[in-house]
Amino acid sequence: MTNSTPASPPTSGKRFLDLSGYGFSGKHAVIDLMREMQGFHVENFQFEFLLIRIQGGLLDLRAALVEDWSPIRSDAAIRRFRRLVRRMATKAEWTDPRTWFQALGTNYDQHYNNRFTPLSEAYINQLIEFSWSAAWPYAAAEWSGYEMFYRRLARKLRLPDADAVEMCLAWPQRFDELTRQYLADLLSTNVDPAVEVVVMHNAFEPFNPYRALTLFDSAKCIIVDRDPRDNYVAGLWYKPMRLPVEQFIRRYRTYRRVAEHFARPSPDVMRVQFEDLVLRYEDTLPKILHFLGVRPERHTAPRKYFIPEASAKNVGIWRNHPDQHEIRRIQEELPEYCRE
């Protein structure tokens, strides 16, 4: 298949903002704050755009096609990304048992007005110079058990093309340009044309957000952190995410040290402490507006969704935790992160 797709037009002109945190670190407060801004489209807080950071997603695709290209890695990355798109697009339907084995539960076709699959396929086809069928042993590393069995059986039966796979030659020269256009088009499909800023949740990661920023013409991210004692107690409310206190301490420390390792000055990355936003609202709000390049008059619905006085009840919840021994362990092990 020869790539004869014309060059992409300029991107939509919309700006993008990602809000992320470390899990129970207070990101919802900033989500509510953004809902008060004129010209902002804020996704439902439960919806996360995972395509960038998930394994096999756009960051992995860029690593294989741009940062460390080889025929093996680039071909495998295209195959993984195409499979990921198919799984993220599909909605599980009781009337269609095939979807039970495929759908991830993200339902992106439904969310993006049935444009996710066609836009993604067009994007993939633009990345591919050409493809051909050949025996390629490296593809077997990612075959399912079912496919491995079928291939072995086909060889035993001497079926034609028992080992053949579709191989793709993808050249990285226009990767960033094509990816920026793809994301701008995709993330605008369910947005009013008058929207200026599209707000995403956890599209980037708090550890090294700079890599994800390269995938956009104009994007910023706000990363929210929180006192580890409150972070720990808040996490206990959600049973699937609970950790014993010693494991929580190790995870908390590792996450922050990794973020500190990658940290560098950037006009597009802002780190906000939940306690500052809630308890020092009048001082913190202007800093956020300045970071976003938003004039104060564009904050048209102050305190409609984010009410700092109400959120203040979520500061210092560790004081009422029944096991204060756990709180003392966190204070002893993570004193540099405890706020008061």
Side-chain angles (χ1 to χ4, degrees), residues 29-303:
V30 183
I31 293 174
D32 282 346
L33 180 63
M34 294 303 108
R35 295 170 66 198
E36 300 173 351
M37 305 295 171
Q38 182 181 3
F40 280 50
H41 170 86
V42 184
E43 292 281 5
N44 184 284
F45 75 95
Q46 292 181 319
F47 179 81
E48 297 185 354
F49 183 67
L50 302 177
L51 189 64
I52 294 173
R53 65 190 181 107
I54 196 171
Q55 62 271 32
L58 287 169
L59 286 179
D60 284 355
L61 187 63
R62 190 180 193 277
L65 268 63
V66 177
E67 298 168 14
D68 191 19
W69 189 94
S70 80
I72 295 173
R73 285 186 291 278
S74 60
D75 169 72
I78 289 287
R79 189 177 294 108
R80 282 198 303 271
F81 185 74
R82 178 170 272 155
R83 182 170 61 246
L84 178 65
V85 163
R86 187 166 58 249
R87 300 190 70 188
M88 299 187 92
T90 303
K91 180 181 180 181
E93 301 279 3
W94 287 110
T95 55
D96 186 357
R98 292 174 300 176
T99 64
W100 307 350
F101 300 93
Q102 186 175 77
L104 286 181
T106 46
N107 304 338
Y108 280 3
D109 261 348
Q110 181 182 56
H111 186 83
Y112 290 110
N113 296 328
N114 293 315
R115 296 293 296 152
F116 177 67
T117 293
L119 285 172
S120 299
E121 283 296 331
Y123 165 66
I124 294 168
N125 289 337
Q126 286 180 304
L127 293 175
I128 297 171
E129 291 291 317
F130 66 94
S131 61
W132 68 101
S133 180
W136 187 242
Y138 306 103
E142 295 184 334
W143 285 347
S144 66
Y146 170 80
E147 185 165 7
M148 191 78 75
F149 170 78
Y150 169 79
R151 296 278 185 166
R152 287 199 170 105
L153 181 61
R155 284 197 293 270
K156 287 287 187 183
L157 298 175
R158 301 184 184 277
L159 297 180
D161 298 325
D163 292 310
V165 297
E166 182 188 22
M167 292 179 56
C168 298
L169 181 66
W171 171 239
Q173 191 171 19
R174 295 178 60 217
F175 181 88
D176 288 341
E177 172 196 346
L178 294 172
T179 303
R180 289 166 185 162
Q181 182 66 58
Y182 164 60
L183 285 173
D185 290 344
L186 173 62
L187 295 170
S188 301
T189 56
N190 61 345
V191 171
D192 188 284
V195 164
E196 299 172 15
V197 179
V198 177
V199 181
M200 307 170 290
H201 311 317
N202 291 334
F204 304 172
E205 289 181 309
F207 315 105
N208 185 8
Y210 316 97
R211 295 179 64 224
L213 287 166
T214 65
L215 303 180
F216 293 85
D217 280 326
S218 179
K220 291 179 179 288
C221 67
I222 296 176
I223 299 163
V224 186
D225 208 349
R226 190 178 190 180
D227 185 303
R229 296 165 296 182
D230 281 347
N231 201 167
Y232 173 70
V233 174
L236 296 177
W237 299 341
Y238 185 57
K239 189 173 181 179
M241 295 289 288
R242 287 181 187 175
L243 278 181
V245 66
E246 296 298 332
Q247 294 181 22
F248 168 83
I249 290 168
R250 293 173 65 181
R251 184 183 68 181
Y252 190 101
R253 181 189 294 116
T254 299
Y255 280 8
R256 275 63 179 183
R257 286 183 176 176
V258 170
E260 291 161 8
H261 171 77
F262 286 111
R264 62 176 186 263
S266 170
D268 298 322
V269 177
M270 182 179 192
R271 297 183 184 271
V272 175
Q273 198 71 23
F274 173 73
E275 293 82 3
D276 289 340
L277 180 59
V278 172
L279 302 179
R280 300 170 182 85
Y281 175 77
E282 299 298 339
D283 294 329
T284 306
L285 175 62
K287 296 176 183 178
I288 293 175
L289 296 180
H290 177 75
F291 168 74
L292 296 175
V294 173
R295 299 188 306 274
E297 56 266 30
R298 304 284 284 183
H299 186 194
T300 53
R303 299 177 186 266

